[in-house]
Amino acid sequence: DARMDDKGQWLMLDQETYRQYQLSQKALEQQKSETVRESSQKTDGIQKAAATPVEEAIRQGKEYMAALDRMRDSLGEEDVREKLERLDAVLESLFETLQKHPEQLSELERFMDYYLPTTMKLVTTYHEFTLVEFPGENIREAKKEIRQTLDTINGAFEKLLDDMYQDTAFDVMTDASVLQSMLAREGMTDGDFQ
């Protein structure tokens, strides 16, 4: 009864898990179609200039965030909702930072191409599993694993956000150190030159 998914990435050990996987994939595709449809309705009749790569990344990120928000709002499990609220706040900060510092786009390539879509897939699957009327052991274990993974995801995305400020922080610390040294050398501070 074991099966591989269509991309050859996941091994499912029984028919029920495979069926649940298929349901989650269909839900993800429907979610993507709905997001695309909503986006095209907003721009209907408006001729839009070609988006820059940064604008496109932010737009795509906002679409993921909106889809995650819709699923979060329909979940009854408070601990998972809190994790998704934290995720939403981190994502909001990431995309605000990208808007302020577009040169950081290259730092987000893997995030946009793999981590964010995979996170979306996990949350979609979790959402689908919550709709199963009589969840078996496989579903309960998968939900537990996803809940734990959400903590890891939040931590990793927070680190990514911090890393986006690494160069700026280093520049500021260097400027501050040089200024302190110059002021001390000129005798404009109370302390000795360090």
Side-chain angles (χ1 to χ4, degrees):
D1 286 342
R3 292 182 177 224
M4 293 293 293
D5 71 330
D6 296 335
K7 296 178 184 174
Q9 294 177 331
W10 301 97
L11 174 66
M12 284 141 282
L13 298 178
D14 60 37
Q15 186 64 27
E16 179 60 24
T17 303
Y18 184 70
R19 189 181 70 75
Q20 291 299 325
Y21 169 80
Q22 288 177 318
L23 287 173
S24 68
Q25 291 302 307
K26 286 179 186 176
L28 182 59
E29 289 302 317
Q30 288 173 343
Q31 197 80 30
K32 286 179 183 177
S33 296
E34 182 179 314
T35 302
V36 169
R37 188 175 64 248
E38 287 174 1
S39 177
S40 67
Q41 287 173 350
K42 288 179 185 176
T43 59
D44 226 11
I46 299 173
Q47 196 66 351
K48 192 174 171 183
T52 66
V54 171
E55 291 169 338
E56 180 59 27
I58 292 170
R59 182 199 58 75
Q60 185 180 13
K62 298 288 184 180
E63 287 177 4
Y64 279 117
M65 290 172 60
L68 287 168
D69 287 347
R70 284 191 297 272
M71 283 185 278
R72 181 194 67 219
D73 292 342
S74 69
L75 289 175
E77 300 169 15
E78 190 61 33
D79 63 325
V80 176
R81 289 180 66 159
E82 288 174 7
K83 292 172 195 238
L84 292 175
E85 286 172 6
R86 180 176 162 206
L87 176 61
D88 186 61
V90 172
L91 291 174
E92 184 71 33
S93 294
L94 274 168
F95 292 113
E96 284 175 6
T97 302
L98 179 60
Q99 186 143 20
K100 292 176 189 174
H101 301 281
E103 70 279 2
Q104 296 286 341
L105 180 61
S106 64
E107 300 296 321
L108 292 181
E109 284 180 7
R110 180 171 283 171
F111 170 78
M112 294 300 295
D113 293 341
Y114 179 74
Y115 296 123
L116 192 53
T118 303
T119 299
M120 182 69 189
K121 180 179 175 180
L122 289 173
V123 174
T124 301
T125 301
Y126 189 93
H127 182 261
E128 287 295 318
F129 284 169
T130 63
L131 302 176
V132 174
E133 190 172 351
F134 302 105
E137 186 64 27
N138 289 326
I139 291 175
R140 286 193 295 274
E141 285 299 314
K143 284 175 64 177
K144 178 182 173 185
E145 184 70 26
I146 292 170
R147 280 193 302 272
Q148 292 171 346
T149 303
L150 284 174
D151 289 329
T152 303
I153 289 167
N154 282 333
F157 289 2
E158 287 171 6
K159 183 177 181 337
L160 177 63
L161 178 61
D162 186 52
D163 288 349
M164 289 177 74
Y165 284 104
Q166 181 177 3
D167 291 339
T168 304
F170 181 73
D171 290 344
V172 168
M173 290 187 300
T174 301
D175 289 345
S177 178
V178 168
L179 182 60
Q180 288 174 6
S181 296
M182 290 175 64
L183 290 171
R185 191 176 319 136
E186 297 292 325
M188 299 176 75
T189 63
D190 293 332
D192 295 327
F193 178 77
Q194 297 179 4

